[in-house]
Amino acid sequence: MNLVESLNRQLERNPNIPDLQPGDTVRVHARIVEGDRERVQVFQGTVIRVRGGGAGANFTVRRIAAHGIGVERTFPLYSPRVEKVEVTRRAKVRRARLYFLRQRRGKAARLKEKRTR
Amino acid sequence: MKGILGKKVGMTQIFDERGEAIPVTVIEAGPCWVTQVKTVERDGYSAVQLGFEEAKLTRLTRGQLGHLGLLKVDEAHPRRRMLENPVPPLRYLREFRVKPEEVPSEGEQITVDVFEVGDRVDVVGTSKGRGFAGVIKRHNFRRQPKTHGQSDRERAPGSIGATTTPGRVWKGTRMAGRMGGRRVTAQNLEVVLVDPERNLLAVRGAVPGPRGGLVMVKRARKQG
């Protein structure tokens, strides 16, 4: 283990973020800093990828905004600016990166729910 | 004195209390030993030579051992050098210019805690060698068109001067050649983290050289 790794390991992963999987539908409560004001914004959508990489680890959430425009936002897993992440649904997916969702719209962009015992 | 030798470990990011991500370079710095003090009276200028990274005794030449005061002083060799405090065999020696009032004593140990979070430092390293590099990589020239009847000229430098007047190429014209592998200073970097337990130092931003490369960290010359 090199020293950067050990330094990364010592950094704390944001405890308010549960383990995420691609295909999860989530509500991300992100703290937005505007000058010296702070507010919390909720971003709801599907997790289309989770990337590792120590302190730089992040995940990307895709949602369909008004007029069917796709919006993707990436949140760092170690950032204290993520207030809370709620997982509302887990889908059954067969790949780690769900980029194919970008080509689909409406009904075609649905994912099958994962069945849990 | 504010100066230390270290090895570049690599880069990562740290989040500050505002949640802002800071790109940092981690440096494994020290412990270093003062191996020689140069004074205005004797040497004409004031400086401190630091040694870094303990090495096996057999890795050093007799000359190096003698300089570090590691050879026995006896009747046969009465004039061999001895330091006030003994130092281990050290692999790297580098000199830092230090004001006379800040000079430590020979043999003294220097650790990362000479720096504190928020200090401004200059980091000196040897940049990565790029070998014989063309003019695009070396001087940020622009590429020529790939099409319109061109061939083999995409990365060529173009014209390097006029015709009969002056009839020669100006001195200093930027051309292809050796790039990198020279001394580079990254100035005025902020110290973001100091970990005396593991001899770690993190500075904001990038630092010259490859991972594992030797770097000198010293007080910033131009603050602000």
Side-chain angles (χ1 to χ4, degrees):
Chain A
M1 187 167 67
N2 73 37
L3 281 160
V4 173
E5 265 177 59
S6 71
L7 186 74
N8 281 341
R9 222 156 277 199
Q10 158 195 340
L11 294 173
E12 222 166 285
R13 207 185 129 149
N14 186 329
N16 303 321
I17 304 178
D19 273 346
L20 295 172
Q21 301 273 316
D24 291 354
T25 303
V26 291
R27 288 170 65 83
V28 180
H29 298 249
R31 208 174 301 149
I32 311 274
V33 180
E34 292 168 325
D36 38 72
R37 281 192 311 120
E38 264 199 10
R39 62 195 181 81
V40 173
Q41 194 181 60
V42 181
F43 191 86
Q44 178 169 8
T46 313
V47 176
I48 62 165
R49 70 171 172 193
V50 180
R51 309 173 76 208
N58 59 42
F59 64 99
T60 301
V61 180
R62 177 179 171 85
R63 84 185 190 99
I64 305 300
H67 307 299
I69 309 289
V71 176
E72 289 178 12
R73 260 192 86 174
T74 302
F75 301 94
L77 279 172
Y78 283 77
S79 170
R81 288 224 180 131
V82 178
E83 187 107 327
K84 183 167 72 171
V85 177
E86 300 163 62
V87 179
T88 54
R89 185 173 171 244
R90 307 211 108 136
K92 182 183 162 194
V93 292
R94 299 175 72 163
R95 57 210 69 222
R97 304 279 142 100
L98 308 182
Y99 298 145
F100 64 89
L101 288 177
R102 290 172 179 164
Q103 262 62 258
R104 304 204 183 165
R105 45 185 59 232
K107 266 189 175 179
R110 289 171 304 172
L111 295 170
K112 255 190 218 158
E113 185 147 12
K114 193 186 257 173
R115 311 213 23 198
T116 42
R117 282 144 282 163
Chain B
M1 68 168 284
K2 276 207 166 159
I4 200 163
L5 292 171
K7 265 186 169 181
K8 175 169 165 180
V9 177
M11 290 193 72
T12 182
Q13 50 179 244
I14 288 176
F15 292 92
D16 67 10
E17 67 288 339
R18 289 181 57 234
E20 216 74 54
I22 309 171
V24 295
T25 305
V26 181
I27 298 166
E28 185 184 8
C32 290
W33 283 267
V34 178
T35 52
Q36 192 181 14
V37 171
K38 300 206 168 176
T39 60
V40 179
E41 299 83 62
R42 197 179 57 230
D43 307 286
Y45 65 103
S46 173
V48 165
Q49 187 187 68
L50 290 187
F52 171 57
E53 196 166 74
E54 289 185 43
K56 274 204 279 190
L57 211 60
T58 52
R59 293 270 178 243
L60 299 188
T61 63
R62 300 269 297 169
Q64 290 171 320
L65 292 174
H67 175 69
L68 295 175
L70 294 170
L71 296 178
K72 231 178 256 151
V73 183
D74 51 27
E75 297 94 70
H77 311 94
R79 296 184 52 197
R80 273 188 179 159
R81 191 160 180 251
M82 256 188 60
L83 301 181
E84 283 166 60
N85 298 296
V87 299
L90 297 164
R91 185 157 167 215
Y92 300 110
L93 302 177
R94 291 289 183 278
E95 200 169 288
F96 292 77
R97 292 297 291 267
V98 170
K99 289 193 195 108
E101 58 270 23
E102 284 184 36
V103 165
S105 65
E106 285 181 357
E108 201 173 300
Q109 197 181 26
I110 308 270
T111 54
V112 269
D113 47 29
V114 295
F115 294 105
E116 35 186 291
V117 173
D119 281 356
R120 293 294 184 146
V121 295
D122 289 345
V123 180
V124 183
T126 305
S127 62
K128 283 184 185 172
R130 261 89 229 242
F132 193 98
V135 106
I136 293 179
K137 186 185 280 270
R138 193 166 183 235
H139 298 298
N140 300 323
F141 278 24
R142 250 162 279 186
R143 181 175 57 71
Q144 294 186 34
K146 284 183 168 177
T147 57
H148 294 283
Q150 289 266 39
S151 67
D152 303 349
R153 289 202 60 80
E154 281 169 36
R155 300 179 69 90
S159 168
I160 55 169
T163 62
T164 335
T165 324
R168 62 188 174 87
V169 174
W170 294 112
K171 277 187 176 177
T173 300
R174 293 169 297 167
M175 294 191 190
R178 286 280 184 108
M179 180 184 176
R182 66 200 170 84
R183 178 186 161 112
V184 175
T185 307
Q187 291 188 334
N188 205 24
L189 304 180
E190 183 191 343
V191 175
V192 181
L193 183 143
V194 178
D195 182 349
E197 239 166 69
R198 291 187 294 173
N199 295 313
L200 290 183
L201 197 67
V203 295
R204 186 186 199 113
V207 152
R211 272 168 277 170
L214 181 74
V215 293
M216 288 165 77
V217 184
K218 49 190 181 187
R219 177 184 295 143
R221 269 164 59 87
K222 303 178 207 157
Q223 308 254 341

